[in-house]
C-alpha cells in the first residue's frame, strides 16, 4: 500500500538512492531537493514541503509540494501548489507506486492544505512515460511550455474539487 507523509530526517537513510541516467535528467534526487529547501529556508522561504512516499511502510520515493513563487512560472493561481522532484527508488519501480501517488496526492493536499485548489507541474517533453501517467490522472496540458534544465517542459495542471 502506498501512502504519503511529511518527510522526517529518519526517512533519509532509505531515500539515499540513485536514478539511472535517463531518469536523472528528469527529476532531482531527494538529497538534492532537500538541499535546495534548506537554502530556501535560510532565506525565510518556508513554502516547500518535502514528502516521503511509503510503500508497505518502507520509504520508496520522494516529492516536494512547493507553494513558493516558483509556481507562478506555471500558473497565475495563488491557491495552487507546484509538484516537483517526484521520484521512486529504482528498487521499488514497476509496482505502480507512481500511479498510486498521483491518485492519493489530491486527498493528501486537500487534507493538509485546505486552501489549495490546483496542482501544477512540468514534465520534460521527452518524458512520455510520466506525461501519460499525469494525463491519465486528470492533469491537462494546455499547450504551455517552459524551459527546463534538461530541455523544454510541458506545463500540466489539475483542478482539485
Amino acid at each position: 500500500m502506498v501512502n504519503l507523509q511529511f518527510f522526517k530526517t529518519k526517512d533519509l537513510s532509505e531515500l539515499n538512492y540513485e536514478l539511472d541516467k535517463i531518469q536523472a535528467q528528469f527529476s532531482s534526487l531527494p538529497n538534492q531537493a532537500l538541499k535546495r529547501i534548506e537554502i530556501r529556508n535560510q532565506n525565510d522561504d518556508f513554502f516547500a514541503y518535502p514528502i516521503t512516499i511509503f510503500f508497505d511502510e518502507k520509504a520508496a520515493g520522494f516529492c516536494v509540494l512547493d507553494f513558493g513563487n516558483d509556481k507562478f512560472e506555471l500558473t497565475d493561481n495563488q491557491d495552487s501548489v507546484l509538484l516537483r522532484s517526484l521520484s521512486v527508488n529504482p528498487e521499488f519501480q514497476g509496482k505502480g507506486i507512481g500511479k498510486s501517488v498521483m491518485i492519493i496526492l489530491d486527498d493528501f493536499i486537500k487534507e493538509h492544505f485546505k486552501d489549495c485548489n490546483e496542482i501544477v507541474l512540468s514534465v520534460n517533453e521527452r518524458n512520455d512515460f510520466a506525461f501519460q501517467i499525469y494525463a491519465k490522472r486528470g492533469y491537462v496540458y494546455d499547450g504551455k511550455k517552459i524551459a527546463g534544465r534538461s530541455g523544454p517542459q510541458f506545463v500540466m495542471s489539475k483542478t482539485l474539487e
Side-chain angles (χ1 to χ4, degrees):
M1 182 171 129
V2 175
N3 71 66
L4 305 175
Q5 296 178 25
F6 289 102
F7 170 82
K8 294 180 180 73
T9 307
K10 68 178 181 62
D11 302 337
L12 193 55
S13 63
E14 290 183 73
L15 294 173
N16 192 21
Y17 53 83
E18 294 293 324
L19 297 173
D20 68 30
K21 215 174 184 179
I22 294 170
Q23 292 176 348
Q25 297 176 64
F26 302 137
S27 184
S28 296
L29 291 168
N31 283 335
Q32 296 166 324
L34 290 167
K35 284 177 187 166
R36 281 197 299 276
I37 290 171
E38 187 178 321
I39 291 167
R40 288 175 62 174
N41 289 349
Q42 292 170 2
N43 295 317
D44 292 328
D45 178 354
F46 297 100
F47 300 109
Y49 298 87
I51 307 297
T52 303
I53 301 164
F54 285 90
F55 178 73
D56 291 340
E57 300 182 29
K58 293 183 178 169
F62 182 84
C63 66
V64 175
L65 297 176
D66 190 345
F67 290 87
N69 289 334
D70 287 358
K71 69 183 179 184
F72 294 119
E73 188 177 356
L74 285 70
T75 183
D76 295 329
N77 183 355
Q78 293 277 356
D79 297 322
S80 65
V81 62
L82 170 59
L83 173 63
R84 61 187 340 165
S85 302
L86 175 61
S87 67
V88 174
N89 183 333
E91 291 180 25
F92 291 92
Q93 290 178 9
K95 300 178 185 300
I97 294 170
K99 292 175 188 172
S100 294
V101 168
M102 300 318 296
I103 293 168
I104 65 175
L105 184 63
D106 297 9
D107 288 336
F108 182 87
I109 291 170
K110 287 190 255 184
E111 177 183 348
H112 296 285
F113 305 100
K114 299 198 183 319
D115 292 336
C116 184
N117 60 25
E118 179 186 41
I119 305 170
V120 295
L121 58 85
S122 66
V123 59
N124 189 288
E125 69 180 4
R126 293 178 290 126
N127 193 351
D128 190 58
F129 181 75
F131 184 93
Q132 294 304 322
I133 289 174
Y134 298 137
K136 287 177 184 171
R137 298 296 169 233
Y139 288 79
V140 177
Y141 171 60
D142 66 2
K144 182 177 180 178
K145 285 186 186 182
I146 61 169
R149 65 180 170 93
S150 296
Q153 307 274 312
F154 295 132
V155 174
M156 301 182 82
S157 64
K158 180 178 186 180
T159 301
L160 296 176
E161 308 203 7

